[in-house]
Amino acid sequence: MAKKETIEALDWLLRDLAENDILFGGKVVVLGGDFRQVLPVIPKGTKIDCMNASLVRSYIWQSLIKFKLKENMRAKTDPAFSRYILQVGNGLEEENEVGEIKLPSSLILEPNTQVPPLEQLIQFVFPSFDLHRLDPLSLTDSAILTPKNQAVDEINEVMIGKFPGKEHTYLSFDETSDPTQQGLYIDFLNFVTPQGMPSHRLNLKKNSPILLLRNINPSQGLCNGTRLICKEFRSHLIVAQIAVGERKGATVFIPRIPLQPNDPQHYPVQFTRRQFPIRACFAMTINKSQGQTLATAGIYLPEAIFAHGQLYVALSRATTATKIRVHLGQSENPMLSSYCTKNIVYKELLEEANCL
Ligand SMILES: Nc1ncnc2c1ncn2[C@@H]1O[C@H](COP(=O)(O)OP(=O)(O)OP(=O)(O)O)[C@@H](O)[C@H]1O
């Protein structure tokens, strides 16, 4: 969800344009959101920082007329699953002594000593590339979700290896702002992948699914989070096909663009990466999956989730309980059931937002 400052900036802009001092300049503005989902990300922020960044804590909140959407349209064919997700999102599932909830056994990957859990999850989510060869766009209906980027990169790497076809690699051009530092830092820059940026080495295959990381051209459907299929690899652009939404099936061109880290203070040197703003999307972070609907979802939790709403967002991407499987790492207390995992819910924020 957007930070409150973004919506406050819109308020001031509309007041300026309308030359009055009425909320949103007196214009009708429709906002939509679910406070059970992940809150605005504040790097190294505390619980209070994240809650304070929410629209609920803005001067705007009290002036809004609120309407509640009560039916889960995505999971409407599975009302029991829909009720369960809501219990998780509201933080009403019973917790054990280390603050974990017990997931229904039907959602958990069956124990199998022969096949490693990630491989089992891959087999559940992507049972056959042959089926996808007939309809490559269907590949983007499924994904493995996990909390951290490192696991996302590892899973995507494994999946690109398994995917049929010839691998095509694009290397980025990483440039320090101060040219005298280029030689000193180039290896380091090629090694790091700042949050929200593509990696230095992009390994892709024809028909493999990708996710756009920037708003390139919203009117053409090319927004941050759009899923596409790679069709052709040229030296300076990738020909792709939009996989979801109103422009599904449209052919588009993705150029290399200059990208800079959102958190430059965390790097010893300022730099620009010239790369295609995409990453493979067999796997994605739970935060990035917000807004997506998945026909089949695998949730890979070798480590527990770490932020408000992540478990709710992950579970609520699927349309029925039969199309979702979870791999859980060890519970914090190994004596407890292996079906237990952390669920973080800031109930005080949900109460302020009148969600409970
Ligand atoms: N009125 C409706 N009738 C039938 N299906 C609907 C309706 N509204 C939404 N859906 C379906 O429900 C799913 C979720 O819709 P949408 O992405 O608009 O919701 P959302 O609130 O943005 O979800 P989230 O925030 O959880 O990602 C989509 O698959 C959409 O097709």
Side-chain angles (χ1 to χ4, degrees):
M1 195 175 289
K3 284 184 184 158
K4 69 176 180 194
E5 285 82 2
T6 311
I7 297 159
E8 289 171 356
L10 175 67
D11 173 33
W12 290 111
L13 174 72
L14 290 176
R15 286 180 201 230
D16 259 6
L17 291 174
E19 296 182 1
N20 62 32
D21 205 18
I22 308 170
L23 187 66
F24 294 125
K27 305 294 172 205
V28 177
V29 174
V30 180
L31 305 165
D34 182 352
F35 294 99
R36 298 174 194 92
Q37 295 192 352
V38 178
L39 294 173
V41 175
I42 308 290
K44 300 209 188 312
T46 61
K47 173 178 174 178
I48 301 289
D49 295 332
C50 294
M51 291 202 297
N52 284 344
S54 168
L55 181 64
V56 179
R57 297 268 169 102
S58 164
Y59 64 85
I60 292 177
W61 182 249
Q62 295 308 332
S63 311
L64 299 175
I65 301 171
K66 286 105 181 169
F67 298 94
K68 283 192 182 179
L69 299 174
K70 296 195 173 138
E71 195 177 345
N72 182 337
M73 299 308 288
R74 184 180 284 126
K76 64 178 184 296
T77 58
D78 191 344
F81 179 52
S82 185
R83 279 194 298 276
Y84 174 72
I85 298 171
L86 197 57
Q87 284 280 107
V88 172
N90 284 335
L92 298 177
E93 281 293 287
E94 196 184 331
E95 289 182 0
N96 66 21
E97 63 212 44
V98 289
E100 296 173 333
I101 63 165
K102 190 170 182 176
L103 296 184
S105 57
S106 56
L107 292 185
I108 306 290
L109 273 184
E110 284 186 20
N112 183 333
T113 48
Q114 310 295 316
V115 188
L118 179 57
E119 192 54 39
Q120 253 184 291
L121 210 54
I122 290 173
Q123 283 172 12
F124 174 75
V125 180
F126 302 105
S128 156
F129 288 132
D130 289 339
L131 290 178
H132 296 306
R133 205 172 300 181
L134 299 173
D135 176 14
L137 291 185
S138 68
L139 251 186
T140 55
D141 279 352
S142 305
I144 295 174
L145 311 178
T146 187
K148 295 198 175 157
N149 270 316
Q150 193 186 340
V152 168
D153 291 341
E154 285 166 13
I155 299 169
N156 279 330
E157 213 43 52
V158 169
M159 291 303 297
I160 276 289
K162 287 176 179 281
F163 199 75
K166 185 168 165 279
E167 195 164 294
H168 193 99
T169 301
Y170 287 108
L171 298 180
S172 68
F173 304 106
D174 296 340
E175 231 176 14
T176 54
S177 307
D178 174 356
T180 61
Q181 294 187 312
Q182 183 77 10
L184 193 60
Y185 282 102
I186 190 66
D187 288 344
F188 168 77
L189 295 183
N190 288 172
F191 175 74
V192 294
T193 304
Q195 210 181 5
M197 277 182 47
S199 57
H200 165 63
R201 174 180 286 272
L202 266 181
N203 294 329
L204 303 166
K205 284 184 180 170
K206 186 176 174 186
N207 287 329
S208 65
I210 51 173
L211 187 78
L212 203 57
L213 300 173
R214 290 288 184 279
N215 290 321
I216 297 187
N217 188 341
S219 63
Q220 262 195 22
L222 293 179
C223 303
N224 188 348
T226 301
R227 283 177 281 166
L228 308 109
I229 292 286
C230 296
K231 283 294 169 193
E232 248 183 270
F233 302 114
R234 304 205 189 145
S235 313
H236 301 293
L237 57 84
I238 294 174
V239 182
Q241 204 175 14
I242 297 183
V244 286
E246 282 175 15
R247 307 245 324 144
K248 182 173 176 172
T251 298
V252 291
F253 301 100
I254 302 176
R256 276 183 201 268
I257 58 170
L259 300 132
Q260 283 157 343
N262 297 329
D263 51 352
Q265 70 279 13
H266 292 129
Y267 296 91
V269 65
Q270 305 303 303
F271 72 102
T272 298
R273 169 165 294 171
R274 190 168 279 279
Q275 179 60 292
F276 296 96
I278 56 168
R279 62 162 53 142
C281 73
F282 295 101
M284 62 180 103
T285 60
I286 293 172
N287 287 21
K288 198 77 193 170
S289 75
Q290 287 192 113
Q292 314 269 3
T293 297
L294 299 172
T296 313
I299 304 178
Y300 185 58
L301 299 176
E303 295 168 58
I305 53 93
F306 58 85
H308 164 93
Q310 283 182 326
L311 190 61
Y312 167 74
V313 166
L315 292 172
S316 60
R317 295 311 91 201
T319 53
T320 72
T322 55
K323 291 293 184 184
I324 195 160
R325 286 294 178 281
V326 185
H327 161 67
L328 297 175
Q330 274 285 344
S331 156
E332 268 182 35
N333 180 346
M335 299 301 287
L336 299 172
S337 158
S338 55
Y339 296 156
C340 289
T341 191
K342 194 138 216 115
N343 182 31
I344 302 176
V345 178
Y346 299 159
K347 282 196 196 158
E348 52 273 57
L349 190 83
L350 298 187
E351 272 160 16
E352 280 176 52
N354 205 11
C355 292
L356 291 178

